[in-house]
Structure formats: C-alpha cells, structure tokens
Amino acid sequence: MEFSKKDKLKFGIFIGPYHKPGINPTLSIQQDLEIIEQMDRLGFDEAWVGEHHSGGIELVDDPMLLIAAAAERTKRIKFGTGAVSLPWHHPFQVASRIVQLSHQTRGRVHLGVAPGQLVQDATMMGTDVKQHRLMMEESLSCIIRLLKGEVVTHKTDWFTLENAELQLLPYNNFDVQIVSVISPNAPYAAGKNGANIISVAATDPAGFKVLDKQWALMEKTAVEFNQPAPERSKWRLMGPMHLAPTLEQAIEEIRWGMPSTETYRANIHKQAQGLDYHDVETAVKIFNESGAAIVGTPEMARAQIRRLLDKTGGFGTYLLMGVDWADHDATLRSHRLFAQEVMPYFDGTIEQPLKSYDMVMNDGGVGADITWEAQQLVVDQLGLDKSVTAMG
C-alpha cells in the first residue's frame, strides 16, 4: 500500500513504564497519569500502557486499570494496552475486558498484545518463555474472532473455549497491534492475523536496520493468509527522546535517572547491552550518533523522525518512550517542547502559519511603508499636529 509523506503523522507515548528505582511507587503511578493528562492538553494523540509483574520499576500490573483512570481525566487522547501479555491471560477475558473499555472510553482505546518478556514473571506464573510467542499467536487468533462476533470453540493445553461468544461487541473498530522488537515473529503474526505492529526497537541500530524488512514480511504474510493489506497509517514506531533548549541542558537533566533505568534495561534487553550508562557524556554521544535515542534539541528530534520516515517509506505514529531519564518536571518540559517544536512539522499544523509569516517577512518592508503612508495621509487630511507623531 502506498504511503504519502504528506500524510500527517500522529504522536504519543509508550509507557512501560520505566521508573527510576528507589522512587515512591505510589507517586510514580500518579506521575504517569499526570503525563497523560498533559499530553492530552498538548495535542498528543495516543498513550500506550504496559503490563509487568516484576523488576520493581515497571510498576503497572494491569494497563486497563490505568487507562480507565486516565480516560476519566482526559478529553481526546486515545489509549492502547502496550501490551497485554497474552500467555498469562485467558483470551476470552482479554477480549471481554477490552470491549468493556472501548465502551467506557467511547472508542478511545486500542488493543496491543505481546508474548511477555520478563523471565521472572513467567517463572512466578508457571509458563515457559520459549513457548510464549506460539501461545500469543494462538490466543490472538481467538481474540480477533471473538471481537468480530464469532462463536469460537478452541482447545489447547493451556486454555479452552467452548461455543464462546462475547455478550457485548466493541464500541468501534479499534486497532489490534503486536509489540515488535527485532525478530520476525511479530510481523509474521500480525500479517497472519490481520493486525499491525508497534516497533519498540525502531531507533535501536539493530531494530532500525530491519524496519523495512519487517514491513515487507508483514505485507507478504498478509497475502499468504488472505488478510487485508497492512496499513502504514497504523504502524507505530517508538524511540527514546529527552529534549531541552540546548544539548548541554538535556545532558544535565538526564543524569538524574538515565544511568539507573538504562542499566536495568540492559539487564533485560540484549540490544541495550554494551554501554556504561554511568558515563553519561559518552552514552549520549553514542545515542545521538547512532540514532538509538535523542538527547538534545527539538531540531535533533525532527531530524530523527525524518530519518525514520526515509528508512520505512512511511508510518503512522511516533511514540516517545515513557522513562524516568529526567525528573518529573524536566520530563514534562521535554514533552511540552516536543509538542511545540517537533509535532507541528509532521502533523501539518505549522505549514500555513509559516507560509503566512514568510509572506509578510519577504515583502521587503513594503507593508511597513504603506502603513506609514496611510497614517500620514489621515494626519494630513485631518490637519493634525505632526509633531506628536512617532516620526515627527
């Protein structure tokens, strides 16, 4: 499917969340809600919320609970589960709960799913991590059928559906997304089931390298399984950014939390390994030069998004990574700066104002001369004292 770069990008946040260890957990959850409230006011389009059960910094166990609270505090922003780890839930319950949430929010919700990553979570719940991806696809295929209103009978070694039918259908036709990192598993499952992907490693060098290949695989798989062609407008990419008026200020602000949160991520994500995150200057230099993240100015953020557009051929939504690199106040300022000086260049809102600005600025001062002449004409016509005018 063709994608025009004239199409407007959407923007949002993917809240794992990654909170700085040792910070009041109750306050951290409240700050997640405050971030979503501000994003709603600033014009961001989406907020995705994750599910984790161990680690002590990704503190949201049930994304639907947080989304329900956030929906009552906001007006227009849409939400997504980013993501429900399907091997830990019965598919009928996942389908029923997202349908209820779609009605409570009047259509402001999408369903995002994942296989579940943290080994500690799987150990506590007695599941085999090596089987998670197959389990996710098996569950997802049933969930999609249920959401369509089908009666589903399906038996596996970990769940059973017997003439299962939802008592309530979705409020609207929301998106179904699979969280994708670097492997081909998620694009394949998405193409097979008529879903789409959230590329959460889009800016990581290894993830960036395969973005176009992942999209091609999803398109190819959709054809093989007679599914609708994937829509680029529903492709979501995530990447970390912290912005400030200057690079130097941005570096100083992330000293607060980046070393601890990224050291944690390196312990659970292989692609995040290999850096000493406590050497902040070196880490930031590698981030910015490789494109793995942006720590710096809005101009640098705009260049990063253009780079992603060129690599992919087009996508629908760019999601900031929700992480405590900087303290809460600095994070809110970064998001505000992103809304002010990055989003307008990709959602179409800045084009006409800049065109009008250039029209005035490029007239060589003729407008000022004409205005002055008009003022003097009235002074002459009325016989007013010219000595009281600004130019005598």
Side-chain angles (χ1 to χ4, degrees):
M1 181 176 293
E2 291 294 321
F3 179 91
S4 171
K5 291 187 179 180
K6 294 181 180 179
D7 289 356
K8 297 179 181 180
L9 280 182
K10 294 182 179 180
F11 297 93
I13 190 168
F14 191 93
I15 300 174
Y18 291 108
H19 290 301
K20 182 180 178 180
I23 298 299
N24 184 328
T26 307
L27 183 59
S28 292
I29 294 172
Q30 285 300 120
Q31 288 174 342
D32 289 332
L33 290 168
E34 289 174 14
I35 284 171
I36 295 172
E37 287 181 83
Q38 176 181 260
M39 286 191 153
D40 183 55
R41 294 191 297 270
L42 291 174
F44 283 83
D45 300 283
E46 298 180 349
W48 294 74
V49 183
E51 173 193 352
H52 302 88
H53 304 280
S54 58
I57 75 170
E58 298 174 273
L59 298 173
V60 176
D61 287 86
D62 188 340
M64 294 191 198
L65 283 178
L66 193 79
I67 288 170
E72 294 296 318
R73 302 178 184 209
T74 54
K75 295 180 180 179
R76 52 169 299 280
I77 195 168
K78 293 186 177 182
F79 302 95
T81 56
V84 175
S85 298
L86 293 186
W88 301 327
H89 303 276
H90 193 286
F92 191 84
Q93 291 180 316
V94 174
S96 298
R97 294 174 68 213
I98 197 66
V99 166
Q100 178 179 327
L101 197 54
S102 78
H103 284 267
Q104 287 182 208
T105 63
R106 297 295 180 97
R108 291 166 55 201
V109 69
H110 302 295
L111 175 63
V113 303
Q117 180 190 19
L118 291 176
V119 174
Q120 291 82 357
D121 290 0
T123 299
M124 289 189 291
M125 288 187 243
T127 58
D128 181 357
V129 173
K130 294 180 181 179
Q131 299 299 316
H132 277 192
R133 281 155 183 81
L134 296 176
M135 294 168 70
M136 180 198 72
E137 186 182 334
E138 192 165 35
S139 175
L140 178 61
S141 64
C142 293
I143 290 170
I144 289 176
R145 291 177 61 195
L146 289 166
L147 294 176
K148 291 178 179 179
E150 295 183 22
V151 178
V152 180
T153 295
H154 192 88
K155 295 184 179 182
T156 73
D157 58 358
W158 66 285
F159 74 83
T160 297
L161 290 166
E162 188 71 41
N163 293 323
E165 181 179 10
L166 297 178
Q167 66 173 347
L168 184 66
L169 293 181
Y171 181 87
N172 62 336
N173 186 25
F174 50 74
D175 295 349
V176 177
Q177 306 279 134
I178 302 175
V179 171
S180 173
V181 187
I182 295 173
S183 77
N185 297 316
Y188 178 83
K192 181 179 178 180
N193 290 283
N196 213 307
I197 57 174
I198 304 175
S199 298
V200 296
T203 63
D204 177 270
F208 179 83
K209 184 178 180 180
V210 298
L211 282 174
D212 49 353
K213 295 179 181 178
Q214 288 189 329
W215 183 260
L217 173 60
M218 192 160 57
E219 288 186 315
K220 177 176 177 291
T221 307
V223 172
E224 291 176 359
F225 287 90
N226 198 30
Q227 294 286 358
E231 299 177 43
R232 287 184 177 268
S233 63
K234 295 181 180 180
W235 188 11
R236 294 162 170 93
L237 273 58
M238 187 200 77
M241 287 187 180
H242 181 77
L243 306 184
T246 67
L247 171 61
E248 293 73 20
Q249 181 178 336
I251 292 173
E252 287 305 310
E253 289 178 350
I254 69 164
R255 291 184 192 278
W256 182 82
M258 187 278 288
S260 57
T261 56
E262 288 310 294
T263 300
Y264 171 85
R265 291 206 324 124
N267 194 61
I268 63 172
H269 294 286
K270 197 169 184 64
Q271 67 271 19
Q273 297 173 356
L275 280 181
D276 177 8
Y277 294 105
H278 294 277
D279 182 356
V280 175
E281 283 80 6
T282 300
V284 168
K285 186 173 186 292
I286 293 172
F287 285 162
N288 287 335
E289 290 181 353
S290 68
I294 294 298
V295 177
T297 64
E299 182 180 7
M300 295 166 65
R302 294 196 296 267
Q304 174 82 317
I305 293 173
R306 292 190 190 99
R307 172 174 168 263
L308 290 167
L309 285 168
D310 290 341
K311 174 64 174 178
T312 61
F315 59 95
T317 304
Y318 182 83
L319 301 171
L320 297 169
M321 184 171 78
V323 60
D324 285 355
W325 276 6
D327 69 23
H328 187 55
D329 290 339
T331 298
L332 292 176
R333 288 196 302 271
S334 174
H335 294 165
R336 185 165 60 246
L337 200 56
F338 186 90
Q340 289 174 333
E341 299 189 29
V342 181
M343 285 164 49
Y345 287 84
F346 300 96
D347 66 10
T349 57
I350 201 68
E351 295 177 11
Q352 198 63 24
L354 285 179
K355 179 181 177 182
S356 182
Y357 173 81
D358 290 340
M359 181 175 63
V360 172
M361 294 301 294
N362 294 333
D363 73 353
V366 172
D369 292 339
I370 293 173
T371 299
W372 175 253
E373 291 171 5
Q375 292 169 343
Q376 294 309 301
L377 178 61
V378 174
V379 169
D380 292 340
Q381 288 175 343
L382 297 178
L384 301 177
D385 183 0
K386 291 185 178 182
S387 66
V388 300
T389 64
M391 297 180 65

